[in-house]
Amino acid sequence: MSTLRPTARTLQIACATVAAALLATGCGRSDDTAAADKDPAKISSGKAKGKLVMWSMGDKADKDLQGLAKKFEQQNPDVTVQITAVPWDAAHEKLTTSIAGGNTPDLSLIGSTWMAEMAAMNGFQATPASFKSSAFFPGQWDTTKYKDTAYGVPFIADTSVIYYRSDITEKAGIKGAPADDWAGYLKDLKAIQATAGKQNAKLRNATQLQVGFNSWLFWLPMVWQQGGDIYDADAKKFTFDTPAVAEALEYYSGIFKDKLTPNDKTDARQNIQNGLIGTVQQGASTGGDLHKNAPELDSKWQTMPLPKATQAAGLAGGSDLAVFKDAKNADAAWKFVKFLTEPENLAAYGEASGNLPAAVGSWSEGELSQNTKMAAFETQLKVTKAPPAITTWQQVADAIDSELEKLAYGKATVADVQKALQSKATSIGTGR
């Protein structure tokens, strides 16, 4: 996730172009166009041996991950783990070109929205059967899938929840968390808005919805909360023309029409810290930033799961661990993946790094289960879903961003946007 970083996404688009060019000119591997191998990889018994090369995303070495690698080496004296940091803004190109050229490391962290594209390039080994999907949150496991086959193991989970400033909501007469359903939550937002410039002197808007770039991350769960979807995998057809999508667009649009949210693209994290907004939908890193930058507010903010409509739902993001098709030491790589995703080790990594563990069992380990501000994330992760596992997903997501921005600025109606999305997505297609 994370697949959610702006720099990563920018390069994702650019590198998809590079990958496409490689394939079009015949520079890729000879089997680039072949279907991904569905046969599960196998893991030998005994300890890991040999040299193991892993790529990890980030601008500098991940010391928390390296600490786990040292522990793995102690348990497996004949193996050496080499972890190379790859900046997020270069990761997509480096991964796709290495797959196309057949010169990959043994394994890597992979942004979850990249999995389908790279599995379609026949870049990964299918996940060994010894990894059980039930050990992970269902939405996170689904991020590893391409055409119903898993090509990785969830490592870092990511989803968003509602942050609210209790010192602001209490002045609006809200006791405890805002309502957990659409109608009630909207009523609470209007009550909060009524205090702007009055009981809450600094407040500008009750909440803040994402406008433009990556707004699909926050809007798509609204469709699922209505019991609908934007893609029918069985029929291989986009479903932007359904009532559930219309309801989600109406809800998104209505918050702007009622001026409950700004549409100026200002920094939502800074705005909630400064008391300019009362609630916001964000991921776990926002809590870390609030604690780091404004510890005096620790007792004035809390989290809650996303409000539901006919059902609860949220978006599964994050990063998965994948072993490459051309790995030189695949057996040791899968053993390292097994080690990293054991609940105890993944919980230790999550506590040290601030990332959300993707393994269900990790949440009952260590301090994580005692943190009341993190409880909403565990609840949300139980109901998250992955976006469609199609190789053209980023293009479709960009189209959603563009159309939602028109709604935010009042330049299109819900009917206009619904029609445009169905047309654009159908034109883009689903890729391979």
Side-chain angles (χ1 to χ4, degrees):
M1 208 49 322
S2 146
T3 60
L4 309 185
R5 290 176 172 86
T7 51
R9 177 180 173 276
T10 302
L11 263 292
Q12 184 178 357
I13 297 169
C15 296
T17 304
V18 171
L22 283 168
L23 295 175
T25 57
C27 297
R29 299 163 55 200
S30 59
D31 58 350
D32 274 336
T33 55
D37 190 347
K38 293 184 176 183
D39 294 334
K42 299 185 183 304
I43 308 177
S44 72
S45 58
K47 295 184 179 296
K49 299 177 181 178
K51 183 179 180 181
L52 174 58
V53 180
M54 175 181 181
W55 287 352
S56 175
M57 305 308 131
D59 294 326
K60 56 184 179 181
D62 184 339
K63 295 189 179 301
D64 302 316
L65 185 60
Q66 289 182 331
L68 283 176
K70 291 294 182 187
K71 182 179 175 182
F72 181 71
E73 289 176 335
Q74 290 169 0
Q75 295 179 5
N76 300 270
D78 294 329
V79 75
T80 301
V81 181
Q82 175 186 311
I83 300 177
T84 301
V86 178
W88 272 106
D89 59 1
H92 187 276
E93 179 175 12
K94 193 173 179 67
L95 287 164
T96 52
T97 53
S98 68
I99 291 172
N103 57 354
T104 64
D106 295 302
L107 77 154
S108 179
L109 273 176
I110 306 290
S112 60
T113 58
W114 299 347
M115 290 295 294
E117 174 194 358
M118 295 178 189
M121 294 175 68
N122 202 10
F124 305 140
Q125 297 186 10
T127 307
S130 57
F131 288 91
K132 302 302 180 187
S133 61
S134 58
F136 302 89
F137 293 105
Q140 296 300 142
W141 183 263
D142 284 347
T143 67
T144 70
K145 289 183 177 179
Y146 173 64
K147 294 187 176 179
D148 297 327
T149 298
Y151 290 96
V153 180
F155 184 53
I156 299 171
D158 196 11
T159 194
S160 58
V161 300
I162 299 292
Y163 288 76
Y164 64 93
R165 285 277 301 263
S166 58
D167 56 332
I168 292 175
T169 56
E170 286 171 2
K171 291 178 181 177
I174 300 168
K175 297 179 180 178
D180 65 354
D181 64 286
W182 275 19
Y185 185 68
L186 194 58
K187 181 180 178 182
D188 283 344
L189 289 183
K190 291 178 179 178
I192 296 169
Q193 189 67 49
T195 67
K198 300 172 185 174
Q199 294 92 333
N200 287 308
K202 294 170 58 178
L203 189 72
R204 292 190 311 170
N205 299 95
T207 191
Q208 184 164 356
L209 292 181
Q210 185 84 356
V211 178
F213 173 71
N214 268 350
S215 52
W216 72 268
L217 295 166
F218 304 92
W219 173 77
L220 183 53
M222 295 180 184
V223 180
W224 295 331
Q225 289 158 13
Q226 276 292 331
D229 210 334
I230 61 170
Y231 180 67
D232 183 335
D234 293 332
K236 294 182 172 56
K237 177 186 175 185
F238 291 100
T239 53
F240 285 101
D241 54 355
T242 56
V245 171
E247 288 289 339
L249 290 172
E250 289 284 2
Y251 192 77
Y252 180 88
S253 174
I255 291 175
F256 287 96
K257 286 179 180 176
D258 291 337
K259 302 190 184 306
L260 302 176
T261 175
N263 61 4
D264 54 11
K265 300 184 181 180
T266 50
D267 187 341
R269 297 187 186 195
Q270 196 66 48
N271 287 345
I272 195 165
Q273 178 180 321
N274 293 340
L276 301 180
I277 57 176
T279 77
V280 70
Q281 181 182 338
Q282 290 281 295
S285 60
T286 291
D289 287 347
L290 283 172
H291 177 65
K292 177 183 178 182
N293 300 327
E296 69 278 10
L297 295 179
D298 280 355
S299 64
K300 297 180 179 178
W301 64 268
Q302 192 48 272
T303 58
M304 59 174 275
L306 302 183
K308 58 182 179 296
T310 60
Q311 63 185 31
L315 182 78
S319 298
D320 302 324
L321 295 165
V323 175
F324 290 97
K325 188 78 173 177
D326 293 323
K328 294 181 176 63
N329 194 355
D331 188 65
W334 281 119
K335 287 175 178 173
F336 191 43
V337 172
K338 192 79 173 176
F339 170 86
L340 289 176
T341 55
E342 289 174 355
E344 180 183 354
N345 292 331
L346 191 47
Y349 178 76
E351 287 178 10
S353 66
N355 290 304
L356 304 180
V360 176
S362 298
W363 287 76
S364 58
E365 297 277 349
E367 298 178 359
L368 196 55
S369 62
Q370 307 301 318
N371 189 333
T372 58
K373 294 182 187 298
M374 298 301 291
F377 285 96
E378 183 181 15
T379 300
Q380 197 68 56
L381 285 169
K382 293 176 181 176
V383 296
T384 54
K385 291 183 62 174
I390 54 177
T391 60
T392 57
W393 171 245
Q394 191 59 57
Q395 296 173 64
V396 176
D398 289 343
I400 297 173
D401 285 351
S402 174
E403 293 302 319
L404 289 180
E405 187 165 5
K406 293 176 184 176
L407 270 187
Y409 291 144
K411 295 183 177 179
T413 67
V414 166
D416 293 337
V417 168
Q418 196 172 14
K419 184 178 180 181
L421 284 175
Q422 183 66 16
S423 176
K424 286 183 177 181
T426 302
S427 178
I428 291 168
T430 60
R432 288 183 285 170

